[in-house]
Every structure is written in C-alpha cells, then in structure tokens.
Amino acid sequence: MNVFRRMLFIALAGLVSAPLISHARTPDTTTIVAGNARFEFLTPSLVRMEYAADGHFVDVPTAVVQRRDWPAVNVQSSKENGWLVVRTSSMSLRYRMDGGAFTADDLQVTWANPKGAPHTWHPGQVDTQNLGGLTYSLDHVSGSNLTKDDTQSPVNDIIPGIDIPLQPAKPGLLSRSGYAFIDDSQTPLWDEKTAWITPRPTPYGQDWYLFTYNQDYQHVLQAYAQLCGGIPMIPRYVLGNWVTNFNFEYFPDTADAHTPEFERYNQQYLEEELSRLRENHIPFDTLVLDFAWHNYGWQGGYDWSPLISQPTQFLQWLHDRGIKLSLNDHPGYAGTKENILSYRDSHTPEVLKDLHRPLPPKPSFDLDVSHGWTFAPDPHDQGLNQHWFAADYNDHAWKPIRTDQAWNRQGYPDDQGIGWYRTSVSLPARLPDALYLYLGEVGQTYRLFVNGKEVDHSHVQWPRRLTYADIRPYVHPGRPNAIALRVVAGEQGGGIFRGPVAIRDVTPPPRIAFDLSNQRQADVFMRDLHGPLMQAGVSSWWVDGGGGATDMPGLNPQLWTNKVFYDFAQQFTGQRAFMLGRYGDWGSERYPGFFTGDTYSEWPVLAYEVAFTARGGNVLVPYISHDIGGFHGAKIDFDLYARWIEFGAFSPILRMHSAHANPHEGNVRMPWVYGDKGIALMRKFFTLRTQLIPYIYTYTWQAHTLSLPLLRPLYLQYPQLDEAYRHSKEYFFGDEMLVAPVLDASGNRTVYLPPGEWIDFFSGKHYDGGKSFTAHYDVDQIPVFVRDGSIVPEQEPSDYSDAKALDTLIVNVYGSGGGRFDLYEDDGVSLDYAKGRYAVTPMRYDSKSDGSHELTVAPAKGTYNGQPAERAYEVRIHAIGKPQSVRVDGKATTAWRWDDKDAMAIVTVPRETIREAVSVTWR
C-alpha cells in the first residue's frame, strides 16, 4: 500500500469508526416503564416516549439522536384510576396503563402557561401555531407556487425532469403553542460492533421526543442540540464570498464540445474571469465549479474535463491567489437510474475492484452506426399512419442528420414536437447470437422500429442517457436493415443527442452507483474518488442531486449522504469540513451547510428566501446558501440583481450562481454584465461582507456554543412581543444588527424596529424603536440598523477573508454607549478550537455620568496558532456630533479626524500588545 493510499485508508477508517457520539445509558430514577411503554425524562421539560410491542427498547444512538446519557431528573410517579401519572418540575404526563400503543386516548402531556390555561399535547395533535421548518430544497420555486403566508411551504413544487414532488416542511422547533415534537421511530440504529448504522427491526414501534416550553425559544434550541448534535465550527473562509462557474455539462466527442464557445470556456477563461474580479478589487474566497469540471455530466466522472487542461497548475494558481476550490458532485438523483461513475473514467477499474465487482466483458462485435441517419419532422404526427417505419418506405426526400446534437440545432429550430430518424445498416452474414442497439441519449422519448417491426427498449428516467434494445430477432444477416426512430422532443430539444450509437453483442454493463448507507460502498466512494481530488487541493464539496444516495429503510438519504461527505473531509484533512448539501431533516445541523436549489429569478422568490433563511434557525440550520440572483434566469434586471446581492451580503453564505447557459452567454452573475454600475455594486457589498467577517465569525462561535443561528427571526429575540411575529422578512444579523432587505423594484421599504434606540448602519441616522416607518432606498442601499450602544468589529479591506493578519481591527461604536462585544478568534481552519485553543477579546462601550464615553478593549484571553501578538485599532465613533476631545489610554491624542460625510470620528490607536487593555475616551 503506497503512502497516499495509506493516508486515504486511515482517513476512511476514521470516518467509518466515528460513532454518532455514542453514550452509554446510565440507569437512574428518570426512567419509568409501564408494560411495553417507557418514558425517559431527559430534562424536566423534555421527555422521550417509547412503545415497543415486544418490550425491547432502544438504548443506542440513532442516525438522528446522538445522546443517551442525561443527568437524572427529579420525577414523581403514581397510579391514579388506571393511569400512570409522572410529574417533573416542568410537566405532567398521563398514560393509561392498559393503553397499548400511544394514541390521543391514552397519552397526554401538560405543562405550565403563565398567560392562561396549561398547555396540553396528545398524539396526533396538529400544531397550528408552529413557526415553520425547512423544506428539502427550493428547487423550481417561483412566484406561481408561493403562498401569501411565507411560513408555509411552496405548493405544487416538483423537481423538473424527474417529476418528484417536494414535500412540505415539517413543523420546526419553535412554536407559539410552546412545544416541539420529533418522531424518531424508524431511523436506523448505531451498531457499536460495526461502527455503522443498521436498520431498526420491524414492525416499528414508537420512539418520540416532546420538548415543552413556554416562550423560551433559546432553551429548546439548546436542548435539541444536546439531543441530536450541535452546530460545528465552520472554516472561517466560508464566510467570504463565493462565485460559481462551469454551469453546464461537458461530454467529450460531441458536437457541443468542439464548438468555439465551448472550447473558449476553459481554464484560461476561468483564470481571466477570476483575475478580472481581483483587478476590480472585488474580494472573494471560493470558486465553485459546476458540472463541466469533469466529463460525462450526470453520468458521473472524477477525471478533469479537457476544459481544465492542466489541473495541477490550475489548483496551484488558485492557491497562490488565496482562492479555495469547491467541486460539484452528484452522488445520486432521486427517481432516476443515474450512473454515478462512467466506465470510461480512469478510476473505474480500481473502484470495481474495491467493490468486488468484475470489469464488464468487452464486445466481440462492435459496429458504429452513428453515421448515415436521415431525418424528417412530423408536426402533424402522420408518420405512424403513413408507415414511415416500414422497411421499404421511400425516405429519399429526408435530410441527413447527425447523432451528436438535437435536430433543433441542425436546421430545425421550430420543430418542437415529433421527428423521425431512419438509417440502413448492412450486417455480415454471420452474426453473434445476441445483438443490441445502443442509443446514448435520445431526447425525450422514442419508439424503435427494425425492419418495420416495433422493438421494445430500455427506459431511463431523466437524465436519459444510455438505452438499448435487443434487435437480434428482427435483423437480417447479410442484408441491409432499416432502423427507424419516432422521437418526441423535450425541453432540451429532440433527437439523438450523443453516443454511443452502436450495435454490440453484449448488453451495457450495469450502472455504477453507490449506496452510501453501505459501509463498504461509502468507503470506496469517498476514498477512491474524492480522496485524490482533496489531496490535490479541493477544499469542499457541493453535494448536488435530488435526494441523497442511500437505500436503508427509515434513513433520510440526504442526511446520511451529507454525513458521509462531511465526515470523510474532516477525517481526511484533519481540519474543519464544510459542504453544500440539501436539507436532510433532523440532525442536519451537524453537517453544514444547506444549498437550497434551483429557484426562479423573481422578486417573490427573493422575498421568500429572506423569510426562509431566517426560519432556518427554527430547526438549528444556520448556514443556508441560496443561488444569489436566482438560478432559472439569465441576465436579470439590475434592480433585482442588486437587491439579491445586498441580501447575500447579510446572509449566512454569499454565493453567486445561475443556470447552465455559460458557454453561450457567459456567467451572467458576473458584475461586468451590468457595466460599471454592476462592478461598483459588487465591489461595495463584497468588500463590506469581507470586512464584517470578525463580527460574523464571532456569531459562528455562538452558533456552536449557544446553539443560536446567525440570522435570527425577530421573535427569537422578542418572543413575548406580538409585533415580532408579523415581520418575517426582516431579521437580526447577530445581536447588534437588524436587516430588512428591499424586496421590490420600487426601492421602498417599510421597516419595523423593535423597542429601543436604533441607528442606520450606513447613514448614522437615529430612530426610535417600537414602531414602523417607510423610506426609499436607492438601488445600492439596504436598510440595516444597529442598536444604540452596539460594537461592531471589522477587518481592513482585502482580496479575501484571511489575506491579512488581523493585526489591525476596525471597531465601530454606535450611539450613546451601554454595549459589549466579545470578539472570538481562532486559526480559522483546524479542530484546535475543541481543545480550547482560541481567544476571546472583551469589548465594552459605556457612557459615564460626566457626559463622556469610553470604549475599552480588554486583554485577549486565550491563545491559538497564528495569533498576532500586537494589534492596532481604528475606532470609528458613530455618535451624535463631533467630539470635543479624544483620549487614548487616558492621554489626549490628536490622532483622530472627523468625517463630516458619514458623521463619524475616526481614532487611530497605535499597535500594542493584545495582552494589555486599550481605552478610548471622548466627550
């Protein structure tokens, strides 16, 4: 075993042996068993309720629930008139002793409600006041399938092509009803012996969790994190800006692959595009490559496409410029027979060997029949009645057609319905016993005729690639044979799109796909296919597709697919992982982040995304990434483009993306599509986003330690304020900032500000809270407000997030004082934070009785690798009026200036050791 293979093996060994945080149960008085029912009080307000017909309960973790050891809870139980009654300090549970499986008739839980009658819950109860959860994705979402209530899921939402309807969101954790319910009855169990999951025995019992609370939303989020796993720290660079490219499929040896527009869209073009961003001082951290980074599109491949002619040099070129690389991958698409790995890929022999599968037999008879076809459109569908399929049909008037491109691009642009293909194939006198016609891809559906007789063929749901038919009974040895196809066109056009178009004596080999719930297959998939690319410098994976790649009863396939990618990346690199995957239901917070899918570029979609992203915290999913600008939309109106970028700058992940039209249109999300105004707008908000990373990164620490999301709906901060529930399209960005993106072309926005004093983040204008106002915002403005007394740290402008050491910190203070901020720092990539290797720098902003104001930066507490020993500060004072005097560490200073345009004082504090306090005082 060579060194590289050994590294991969060790990494995967870590992946497959890492349990879902297995905890042994400790028997205590918290558990009450009543016949075949068991009640475990994990906290005074969280109860697990199990019913097992055979009396065997589950004491190991599951694919969703991680923790099994909980401190003892003081409970009191009694039997009252045939009922088991169990009370804690927070709830009371009643179960009919002979009730059997849980129903509304035999189980009830109540808990206190300070505002009125006690809350009650029973099985089957519908929570009408739930504040919403997340859907699997937002694929195909447009204004036409969005409801007026943006806490509701889109209606009639179907993933196009595979025609799979997207299910509505399950209720989230937060509800004005004061409870949350999780059904974990069917999820697989963790097997300590195999260090992997195993299906639950059937028939399933009931394994439920009920969280009870009043309006303590933060408490239930923290309890859920203890039960199902918390949010890990993400790499710091993830908070920088992302740009997606190569949004098209690349198939070698097709007509498209050899057109000038495809050939120019290559490694050099990418480097020029990225260099242009740098030259225009538009900071970004991560390049994401969609389909065309590899061959064969949906068919799968892990070899670089010829478009990246020198991948080693390309990865080094990116590294030298501080650019991370993320690659798109499709481990499985729901409802399809999608191949994950092409037999033409260089990795295939090794993968098949490791899967204990043989290489497919090579054909002894292999006849290329991709040439010599003719075509006729059939707009009135008369070909069947007129026997265009007959062996002796006169097709001399038909026109030649190629089999590597749709007929719409070969002179028939307006023929969208039915078309016919014909050819004549001469076969030798001696033929093998088996003979199969291969058709690489036919769009969209077709009927096949050989010598006038219809022949059945295989069917592959989209993405329709290789189909085949047994034609041996229909052909004539030693004679010409007529082959005809009646093709119904699809959205991408009609006809034979690509090869192979051939006759062979073996069937196509079975597809190479992976069941990632199978331990061996998960090992091979990650080790053989992804390990080499990560070794070469790939930083993260975009796990695209439609549902994940597992086949185990009760298992959410997206959840486990996310886990396999995330765990392997972390084990292989020894550093923090990050990925973009779709939402896999409960437990998804453990594997950030969440890519929402292919939406339409419309104003209502942008508005829905704002509410959707804030709602992500309701299920503890903080790192949601939308296609900024929308997916299904080429060059959109500048107003919409600008507002989407502005929202992106104040969202968890800022990632530009659009549909698969790049070779023909270029990347329509690049700013120069809109000329100088586009460049100026992107520079402004990409720079601001990069500068805000010290502030944002501190809140990633809070997400990890306190189970609080970065984007917070108003009711998370003000649960008792009715008005907070009426403004779903504005949100807190951390504690200090409130954001209300502009959501229509008018530029007008009505904003509700909660009680207190607020200051416009950009203009410095002061507002009284507890009420709403309406204002107009220019196309390059977004309503953002900070609380009076807030501290917002920033870093200096730079090309990417960690281009400069944080040895100069910009500290913004707002209003009259009375705020604090504890700046969190670590090395940004390693797992050392879990070992206590990080630093916290407390900052305080106070107003004193003598009318002066003081910012104090306390000594940094803690150490980490790469920590600067000294730091300079630029203090920006956003107060009312120009200060009369300024002191630094008690001494008068002249190192400050007044910016009349932005109404702020800027104080320069020389570099000092981070182990000493710094104070800036003004009056």
Side-chain angles (χ1 to χ4, degrees), residues 143-222:
S144 64
N145 55 9
L146 293 174
T147 64
K148 292 183 179 180
D149 181 358
D150 54 32
T151 66
Q152 300 299 310
S153 302
V155 297
N156 303 319
D157 193 11
I158 298 175
I159 300 179
I162 59 176
D163 300 330
I164 291 181
L166 293 174
Q167 297 301 310
K170 296 179 181 178
L173 294 166
L174 307 188
S175 171
R176 301 191 81 175
S177 299
Y179 74 88
F181 174 78
I182 292 178
D183 185 350
D184 196 41
S185 303
Q186 299 184 25
T187 52
L189 308 178
W190 183 257
D191 188 331
E192 292 284 358
K193 292 181 181 179
T194 63
W196 202 252
I197 48 171
T198 185
R200 284 196 191 231
T202 55
Y204 301 114
Q206 294 166 305
D207 194 352
W208 297 348
Y209 296 83
L210 184 69
F211 303 79
T212 63
Y213 54 92
N214 291 307
Q215 291 182 319
D216 192 350
Y217 295 152
Q218 296 187 18
H219 173 77
V220 71
L221 292 176
Q222 292 161 1

Side-chain angles (χ1 to χ4, degrees), residues 263-299:
E263 290 181 337
R264 78 174 179 90
Y265 217 89
N266 56 17
Q267 177 177 334
Q268 179 181 350
Y269 184 89
L270 268 179
E271 292 177 0
E272 291 172 354
E273 290 269 279
L274 301 179
S275 296
R276 192 172 178 184
L277 288 171
R278 287 280 191 257
E279 290 163 3
N280 280 284
H281 304 291
I282 298 174
F284 71 99
D285 276 71
T286 300
L287 169 68
V288 190
L289 295 184
D290 207 333
F291 283 143
W293 75 266
H294 59 182
N295 290 325
Y296 315 121
W298 291 84
Q299 284 291 79

Side-chain angles (χ1 to χ4, degrees), residues 299-455:
Q299 284 291 79
Y302 294 85
D303 292 327
W304 292 92
S305 76
L307 300 177
I308 306 294
S309 58
Q310 297 177 308
T312 301
Q313 291 88 332
F314 180 60
L315 286 161
Q316 186 61 50
W317 186 92
L318 294 174
H319 180 269
D320 291 345
R321 288 155 180 79
I323 303 171
K324 308 293 185 183
L325 179 64
S326 181
L327 296 182
N328 177 281
D329 190 24
H330 281 72
Y333 213 113
T336 75
K337 298 293 184 181
E338 178 191 350
N339 207 37
I340 305 304
L341 181 64
S342 168
Y343 277 90
R344 297 171 64 183
D345 191 86
S346 68
H347 301 83
T348 298
E350 179 183 27
V351 166
L352 292 178
K353 177 182 177 182
D354 291 343
L355 290 175
H356 298 170
R357 284 175 53 177
L359 288 167
K362 294 183 178 180
S364 56
F365 183 91
D366 190 352
L367 179 65
D368 181 1
V369 293
S370 61
H371 304 285
W373 291 83
T374 59
F375 172 78
D378 189 8
H380 304 296
D381 194 15
Q382 58 190 5
L384 287 172
N385 290 335
Q386 296 181 8
H387 292 230
W388 291 9
F389 54 83
D392 59 354
Y393 179 76
N394 185 352
D395 62 359
H396 294 304
W398 290 27
K399 303 297 184 183
I401 196 82
R402 297 201 312 271
T403 58
D404 59 359
Q405 199 174 59
W407 71 58
N408 312 83
R409 298 175 63 185
Q410 298 185 63
Y412 303 91
D414 300 324
D415 292 291
Q416 302 295 333
I418 298 170
W420 285 77
Y421 281 63
R422 282 182 62 92
T423 191
S424 179
V425 178
S426 294
L427 296 174
R430 301 191 61 171
L431 291 175
D433 293 336
L435 216 57
Y436 303 94
L437 173 64
Y438 285 46
L439 292 172
E441 180 182 2
V442 181
Q444 176 170 338
T445 61
Y446 71 97
R447 293 171 67 177
L448 170 67
F449 302 86
V450 176
N451 291 323
K453 296 183 179 180
E454 187 162 9
V455 180

